[in-house]
């Protein structure tokens, strides 16, 4: 079994370090096996493509590359600032994520 990750698909995150530092984006996909995430508009690469039915011209296409989740921090929905994540049980005995900065539950 693989460990739970602190981010999920649809979360808004900010990049801590690297070439895309301080960029924000929405998580499009999470790869649990490699502990990487695809973030909208972050870590852009140039991919050279051959002509095909969808792209008859071919050429260079800009697209997002996965980035390691250790380089991402969740944006707290309440304050809009980066925050660390904790887990606790809510009133219904369900395990939920919460913001360590504001203490609020993250939906």
């Amino acid at each position: 079994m693989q460990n739970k990750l602190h981010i999920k698909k649809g979360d808004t995150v900010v990049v801590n370090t690297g070439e895309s530092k301080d960029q924000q984006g929405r998580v499009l996909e999470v790869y649990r096996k490699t502990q990487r995430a695809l973030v909208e508009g972050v870590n852009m690469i140039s991919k050279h493509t051959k002509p095909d039915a969808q792209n008859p011209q071919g050429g260079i296409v800009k697209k997002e590359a996965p980035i390691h989740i250790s380089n991402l921090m969740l944006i707290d929905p309440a304050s809009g600032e980066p925050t660390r994540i904790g887990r606790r049980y809510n009133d219904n005995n369900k395990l939920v994520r919460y913001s360590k900065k504001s203490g609020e539950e993250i939906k």
Side-chain angles (χ1 to χ4, degrees), residues 59-87:
I60 300 170
V61 178
K62 290 281 214 182
K63 61 183 277 187
E64 294 98 352
I67 188 167
H68 199 271
I69 59 152
S70 66
N71 298 330
L72 301 174
M73 274 187 96
L74 191 85
I75 299 290
D76 188 1
S79 67
E81 293 182 27
T83 181
R84 289 181 294 145
I85 298 300
R87 287 191 180 82

Side-chain angles (χ1 to χ4, degrees), residues 13-44:
V13 294
V14 65
V15 180
N16 287 340
T17 184
E19 207 170 292
S20 302
K21 183 175 181 171
D22 296 331
Q23 289 185 7
Q24 290 188 17
R26 195 170 44 87
V27 176
L28 302 174
E29 204 168 340
V30 176
Y31 306 106
R32 288 180 58 182
K33 197 170 195 174
T34 55
Q35 293 201 346
R36 290 179 170 269
L38 201 63
V39 183
E40 193 173 37
V42 173
N43 199 24
M44 299 298 282

Side-chain angles (χ1 to χ4, degrees), residues 3-15:
N3 294 340
K4 286 194 175 195
L5 304 177
H6 66 279
I7 59 169
K8 289 182 179 179
K9 181 178 176 179
D11 285 345
T12 304
V13 294
V14 65
V15 180

Side-chain angles (χ1 to χ4, degrees), residues 1-8 11 30 32 35 69 74 83-90 93-101 103-106:
M1 192 176 125
Q2 296 172 2
N3 294 340
K4 286 194 175 195
L5 304 177
H6 66 279
I7 59 169
K8 289 182 179 179
D11 285 345
V30 176
R32 288 180 58 182
Q35 293 201 346
I69 59 152
L74 191 85
T83 181
R84 289 181 294 145
I85 298 300
R87 287 191 180 82
R88 65 180 174 209
Y89 289 97
N90 65 1
N93 273 353
K94 186 171 173 153
L95 193 64
V96 294
R97 298 181 303 162
Y98 73 97
S99 164
K100 294 254 186 161
K101 195 167 262 189
E104 289 189 34
E105 192 175 302
I106 297 171

